[in-house]
Amino acid sequence: MIPSKAGSAALTSIRIALDVMSGDESPSARMCSVIKLLTDKPDLFLYLIGDEVFIKSFLRMVPGIDWSRLAIVHSVKTVSMSDSPFSVLRSKQESSMWMMLELVASGEAHACVSAGNTGALMAMGRHLLQMVADVDRPAIATCIPCRKGSAILLDIGANVDSTAINLHQFAVMGSQLSSSVYHVYNPRVALMNVGTEDIKGNKQVRLASQLIQKDNRINYIGYIEGHAIFSGLADVIVCDGFVGNVALKTAEGVASLVKEELLATFGLNWWSRLLGLAVSPVLKEFCRRVDPVRYNGASFLGLQGIVVKSHGSADGKGFFQAVCQAIYEVQVGVSDCLMVDSGGGYTHSP
Amino acid sequence: MIPSKAGSAALTSIRIALDVMSGDESPSARMCSVIKLLTDKPDLFLYLIGDEVFIKSFLRMVPGIDWSRLAIVHSVKTVSMSDSPFSVLRSKQESSMWMMLELVASGEAHACVSAGNTGALMAMGRHLLQMVADVDRPAIATCIPCRKGSAILLDIGANVDSTAINLHQFAVMGSQLSSSVYHVYNPRVALMNVGTEDIKGNKQVRLASQLIQKDNRINYIGYIEGHAIFSGLADVIVCDGFVGNVALKTAEGVASLVKEELLATFGLNWWSRLLGLAVSPVLKEFCRRVDPVRYNGASFLGLQGIVVKSHGSADGKGFFQAVCQAIYEVQVGVSDCLMVDSGGGYTHSP
């Protein structure tokens, strides 16, 4: 499946497998990020999984491509956004997503990135990479910006019906990720709820709170409400995937609406338009600071391998950011930190 | 309980009962809004339920109070934020919240407003006001700002474990509220989910989608994701109360963070600070447009009476806004619109 010369050339590099085909945006958007990655990251080796003819014709349009730093892996199928997680295990074994995960499972790639169907990625990930001991279900974790620094939010969509035991396991994994990878000392872990009082929330959340409280590995600070997740009060915020997904996407929606409102306010009359021109660089800096693309790239935790999920609608810039996240996770050894044998063979310097 | 002269004086006015004691903020914050209400709303009669000595001493400090437009109802207990919904039905029958709801149940007041414990308010509301036929549980609905106009989001916290049948009923009530009260023609109703494809979401949401689709009273447009709830694509957004609560509070958190980031960006160096001074009126207008206080005041739907829930941490300005919401609901006859006999005796002009 993988050209042997590519395999040998890649032994000294960080090797990332990219699912070129899956996502809401066209594969061209992801190929644009490939070009930037090859330019910006000299130590990177990429497996590009997808339609070989398309990938080759895209790359041939770009002058100066170093073909020795990539391997094209041809796939004949693509997982669509409407494929069910159960059906893909049977029907999409020759898809770009499946073949990408196989490269991580075999150790050819240190990590992989896909912008495709989250449920399918989770089902295939569990099947091909296996779960970490003592973890029942993978969770997706992402960084969110806070008043000072950032926090980890999980799960943001892998599980839409989490039990108290699942939530407890997410708390353990989130805490390990925060301390080992983001170097937070004794990370403060909070559980998302509709209020901070003991009686608030549903049964799963209240039971999870008791389980987490009893766990000595976790520095549990109690419940946190939606408005406080960006306050910097907690380093890790644990919730069910349905709730986390809605929270994250709502945050993106508000940030986008607020930016539009701001621009509209500066266009209200000739004087504010004039002021808008004057403050244009300041507004650009502001937009950069609240740009969700900066935080694209969510980590699948609980799998024996590094899998990064890009936002489905990520453009080239966003997908690039997700691959950077994967590179970072390989460099800091996320799998090792989470006491997992990734089988990837890449050893990072301490 | 109610001074008879106050009762007779109030017959021609809109009569609102206010729970002065409950909420995160001190009762003084809510009393400040009382002063503003008496000044700004000449047709308003207020029942102030709480500690009589405190209320009287507060009012005596304000010159020119028209005592004929208010009645003080003394309560000896207050529902705290940590009281469980089950216990309050037995232990808090002499609380400000309970007595406020009794005034609506007896028809003395047309509507009531509390910033207190949501679960307790729901439990007492169900007990004292009874449910509308064909509705199993009340839902809390609020207006959220959109690109153009606004939308109704429900439930935002009355139920933290909604079944598919509950979600279907919320869709019916939300649609009726939108068309009858906010005059939206054939309101577009969407169901919150983690994706827009049929396979997405948990069992409850997928089953609710089928139920809503079959209901001819509802103009159902399918699933909606968190980032799209402010887009204006839907007039009514239906979700479980846990999810809605997190979404709403997350939106508030982001709006607040973004405002701070904006101010910080304008304080980065002497040039941007100078620009910040120049654009200060424009920034103020922007902050006003994204101010969550403008939307404070959520409606309990499904009860036989008008109950408005203010944000627990609302200041005087926010509580004032919630009372304005209650006045508006009395004026447009929310109870009648939702095919409910509120028993309030107030007849609005068409």
Side-chain angles (χ1 to χ4, degrees), chain A residues 216-248:
Chain A
N216 291 332
R217 294 169 294 179
I218 303 171
N219 175 18
Y220 182 52
I221 59 165
Y223 295 138
I224 195 164
E225 292 178 83
H227 59 81
I229 62 177
F230 307 98
S231 65
L233 287 173
D235 302 303
V236 179
I237 296 140
V238 175
C239 58
D240 167 59
F242 196 111
V243 173
N245 188 285
V246 169
L248 191 71

Side-chain angles (χ1 to χ4, degrees), chain B residues 184-295:
Chain B
V184 177
Y185 173 72
N186 201 22
R188 298 156 299 171
V189 177
L191 191 57
M192 185 96 89
N193 203 349
V194 296
T196 52
E197 300 82 10
D198 282 344
I199 56 140
K200 289 293 171 76
N202 53 32
K203 272 184 201 164
Q204 303 89 284
V205 167
R206 287 203 301 268
L207 183 55
S209 181
Q210 291 172 19
L211 294 173
I212 298 170
Q213 200 144 30
K214 285 180 197 156
D215 192 326
N216 291 333
R217 293 168 295 178
I218 303 170
N219 175 17
Y220 182 52
I221 59 165
Y223 294 137
I224 195 164
E225 293 178 84
H227 59 81
I229 63 179
F230 307 97
S231 65
L233 287 173
D235 302 303
V236 179
I237 296 139
V238 175
C239 58
D240 168 58
F242 196 111
V243 173
N245 188 284
V246 168
L248 191 69
K249 287 179 178 166
T250 300
E252 286 170 11
V254 175
S256 159
L257 178 71
V258 162
K259 270 200 271 183
E260 278 178 33
E261 281 284 321
L262 185 64
L263 297 177
T265 312
F266 274 110
L268 278 180
N269 52 46
W270 69 268
W271 173 239
S272 58
R273 274 199 293 275
L274 203 67
L275 283 174
L277 281 178
V279 298
S280 169
V282 183
L283 288 185
K284 268 193 186 154
E285 164 62 17
F286 163 73
C287 289
R288 193 193 65 78
R289 287 168 73 150
V290 298
D291 185 358
V293 162
R294 287 176 70 203
Y295 294 89

Side-chain angles (χ1 to χ4, degrees), chain A residues 11-285:
Chain A
L11 281 176
T12 53
S13 318
I14 293 180
R15 304 185 301 273
I16 311 279
L18 303 184
D19 174 2
V20 173
M21 308 312 284
S22 309
D24 295 322
E25 287 291 312
S26 90
S28 302
R30 290 177 286 281
M31 285 305 296
C32 287
S33 72
V34 166
I35 308 301
K36 188 168 163 56
L37 284 162
L38 290 172
T39 311
D40 289 11
K41 310 279 178 187
D43 287 334
L44 191 65
F45 183 90
L46 293 175
Y47 293 102
L48 307 178
I49 305 116
D51 182 80
E52 191 174 8
V53 175
F54 161 75
I55 295 173
K56 277 191 174 158
S57 63
F58 190 100
L59 290 172
R60 280 193 191 116
M61 289 187 299
V62 185
I65 287 286
D66 181 356
W67 293 85
S68 71
R69 289 177 51 212
L70 54 91
I72 300 167
V73 183
H74 182 63
S75 65
V76 291
K77 287 182 179 173
T78 303
V79 173
S80 79
M81 287 300 190
S82 57
D83 279 334
S84 93
F86 307 105
S87 69
V88 292
L89 294 181
R90 289 190 310 276
S91 63
K92 293 291 171 82
Q93 295 202 359
E94 290 166 300
S95 65
S96 51
M97 190 184 279
W98 181 279
M99 293 167 84
M100 170 195 81
L101 288 161
E102 274 187 331
L103 285 167
V104 177
S106 67
E108 295 283 339
H110 297 116
C112 62
V113 183
S114 175
N117 183 325
T118 308
L121 190 58
M122 184 172 92
M124 286 183 178
R126 287 178 75 163
H127 180 77
L128 291 169
L129 298 177
Q130 308 297 321
M131 297 295 299
V132 172
D134 299 328
V135 177
D136 299 319
R137 290 199 215 169
I140 310 179
T142 191
C143 269
I144 56 167
C146 293
R147 271 189 182 78
K148 282 183 182 174
S150 59
I152 292 168
L153 177 68
L154 80 164
D155 173 34
I156 57 161
N159 313 277
V160 288
D161 245 333
S162 309
T163 64
I165 293 169
N166 295 145
L167 293 170
H168 176 206
Q169 291 172 355
F170 300 167
V172 175
M173 291 193 289
S175 182
Q176 284 176 339
L177 186 73
S178 178
S179 60
S180 310
V181 178
Y182 296 100
H183 312 299
V184 177
Y185 172 73
N186 201 22
R188 298 156 300 171
V189 177
L191 192 57
M192 185 95 89
N193 203 348
V194 296
T196 52
E197 300 83 11
D198 281 345
I199 55 139
K200 290 293 171 76
N202 53 31
K203 272 184 202 167
Q204 303 88 284
V205 167
R206 286 204 301 269
L207 183 55
S209 181
Q210 292 172 18
L211 293 174
I212 299 170
Q213 201 144 29
K214 285 179 198 157
D215 192 326
N216 291 332
R217 294 169 294 179
I218 303 171
N219 175 18
Y220 182 52
I221 59 165
Y223 295 138
I224 195 164
E225 292 178 83
H227 59 81
I229 62 177
F230 307 98
S231 65
L233 287 173
D235 302 303
V236 179
I237 296 140
V238 175
C239 58
D240 167 59
F242 196 111
V243 173
N245 188 285
V246 169
L248 191 71
K249 287 178 178 165
T250 300
E252 286 170 10
V254 175
S256 158
L257 178 70
V258 163
K259 269 200 273 183
E260 278 178 33
E261 281 285 320
L262 186 65
L263 296 177
T265 313
F266 273 109
L268 279 180
N269 52 47
W270 69 267
W271 173 239
S272 59
R273 275 200 292 275
L274 203 67
L275 283 174
L277 281 178
V279 298
S280 168
V282 183
L283 289 185
K284 269 194 187 156
E285 164 63 16

Side-chain angles (χ1 to χ4, degrees), chain B residues 165-184:
Chain B
I165 292 168
N166 295 144
L167 293 169
H168 176 208
Q169 292 171 355
F170 301 165
V172 175
M173 292 193 289
S175 182
Q176 283 176 340
L177 186 74
S178 178
S179 60
S180 310
V181 178
Y182 296 100
H183 312 300
V184 177

